Amino acid sequence: MADDFEYDFFISRTGKDSAIALRIAAVLESEGLRFLLQDVDFVPTTEIVERMEAGMNRARCTISVLSPEYFDSPYTKSELRAAFDRDPDGTKGTLVLIRAREFEIPYPYKSRVWIDFVDVDEAAERTLLLRLIGKLRDRGVLAVPVPPASGFAISNLPQRNENFTGRRELLERLHSALHAEGAAAVTQAVHGLGGVGKTQLALEYAHAFGNEYDLRWWIESETQPETGFAALAPRLGLEFPEGTDQRIVVAAVRDWLESHDRWLLVFDNVEQPEAIAELRPRSGGGHVVVTSR
């Protein structure tokens, strides 16, 4: 696919939904996608409207974070109309609608399929966005990432905590434990470290030693960890008809991992070991990190 655009996504939002827009941007960044977002790329100036319009024209797709306030603003309404006019029948896939809060989307946009962020947590938001990105890549709207010569090619890691300091000894212990058994699927649990921040420790490990893995996949495991696990399927090139039993998808992802190496799975906040028993690969040259109370 020829790359005639400077950005993959322009993110359109009102100030009230800046937090959601930043979370969307974090997922896009983790996927290696280029985005333009006012909160990140612009400072307030008298020319900001003109700069936003120019930036939107340099983006392949537009994500509109919809809310009642969105349709009260002439600026965001104009951005949405411009994106809609570029893809009036929805066949190009260049306009992505995300409903941020409970309200009825007005005509003509209500006829489009949208992603619903109402009453879902951040883990579910991430899963929904990753599915969208996978579909856009399958359709050729977005480029499929080419694996680099070294480092990781597939990742959905949350953003690194730049304020994480110290704990180097714990990171080294975790690294040593995972590598102690050689080229095999190894599971290491992070628990019993009150006050350390088990999630932050696992996240820092995944970033600090990321160049040792070609795949790094983060799974929120407090509820339905199999959903986050199955979301890896399209990134591995595993395709299934709509409505395929999730257990079949899970088994296919596990089989893929068991026949490959240089991968890292992080199951965060596991309540009970049996919750991920069917998800953990038993072989393959990868590592599994589990955080648990």
Side-chain angles (χ1 to χ4, degrees):
M1 179 180 63
D3 193 351
D4 301 322
F5 296 90
E6 185 176 349
Y7 304 100
D8 296 299
F9 287 98
F10 173 82
I11 305 175
S12 173
R13 94 297 176 266
T14 62
K16 189 167 184 178
D17 295 311
S18 289
I20 291 178
L22 286 168
R23 293 199 298 272
I24 293 170
V27 175
L28 299 181
E29 186 175 43
S30 74
E31 290 293 295
L33 295 167
R34 303 158 300 171
F35 63 87
L36 187 66
L37 173 62
Q38 178 179 343
D39 307 75
V40 176
D41 298 289
F42 294 115
V43 295
T45 68
T46 55
E47 298 84 20
I48 191 167
V49 174
E50 292 79 4
R51 294 178 64 194
M52 293 282 282
E53 289 177 353
M56 184 177 179
N57 291 330
R58 302 199 305 272
R60 184 181 306 281
C61 304
T62 296
I63 293 177
S64 291
V65 183
L66 304 182
S67 63
E69 293 80 8
Y70 190 96
F71 289 94
D72 289 337
S73 167
Y75 304 112
T76 48
K77 283 173 64 178
S78 175
E79 292 166 1
L80 177 58
R81 169 54 67 179
F84 185 87
D85 289 345
R86 286 169 58 183
D87 185 18
D89 57 4
T91 57
K92 295 180 180 178
T94 57
L95 173 59
V96 176
L97 304 180
I98 295 179
R99 191 172 71 148
R101 274 171 281 127
E102 185 74 48
F103 80 109
E104 185 173 349
I105 298 175
Y107 179 85
Y109 312 107
K110 66 185 300 180
S111 62
R112 292 287 185 92
V113 176
W114 67 81
I115 299 175
D116 209 340
F117 274 13
V118 177
D119 296 329
V120 300
D121 58 20
E122 292 185 25
E125 289 178 1
R126 184 182 301 115
T127 298
L128 291 169
L129 286 170
L130 290 173
R131 287 177 180 170
L132 166 73
I133 292 168
K135 288 180 180 179
L136 292 179
R137 282 173 168 156
D138 289 343
R139 293 176 59 182
V141 179
L142 298 176
V144 177
V146 178
S150 62
F152 63 90
I154 299 174
S155 175
N156 73 334
L157 290 184
Q159 285 185 302
R160 191 172 194 171
N161 181 1
E162 300 298 336
N163 296 319
F164 186 97
T165 58
R167 309 299 180 186
R168 188 65 194 180
E169 181 182 352
L170 290 173
L171 288 170
E172 294 291 351
R173 281 167 48 190
L174 178 57
H175 181 263
S176 298
L178 287 168
H179 287 76
E181 299 183 38
V186 179
T187 299
Q188 183 67 26
V190 180
H191 59 81
L193 301 173
V196 170
K198 295 174 282 294
T199 294
Q200 291 303 316
L201 182 67
L203 180 59
E204 179 61 20
Y205 171 84
H207 281 287
F209 297 98
N211 62 348
E212 298 182 7
Y213 303 99
D214 296 324
L215 183 158
R216 306 179 301 172
W217 201 251
W218 187 276
I219 301 166
E220 300 288 350
S221 303
E222 287 183 296
T223 59
Q224 299 183 321
E226 61 276 5
T227 300
F229 187 82
L232 180 53
R235 301 299 309 278
L236 301 177
L238 303 174
E239 299 182 0
F240 300 90
E242 193 74 25
T244 298
D245 192 317
Q246 186 169 251
R247 290 172 296 182
I248 295 175
V249 181
V250 165
V253 171
R254 189 178 60 241
D255 289 345
W256 189 98
L257 294 169
E258 290 179 346
S259 62
H260 291 78
D261 57 11
R262 289 179 57 85
W263 49 261
L264 172 69
L265 299 180
V266 181
F267 292 95
D268 188 39
N269 289 323
V270 176
E271 296 287 350
Q272 299 293 336
E274 54 268 23
I276 62 169
E278 296 302 315
L279 307 181
R280 291 191 296 114
R282 302 303 195 271
S283 58
H287 297 150
V288 179
V289 173
V290 179
T291 73
S292 174
R293 298 187 184 91

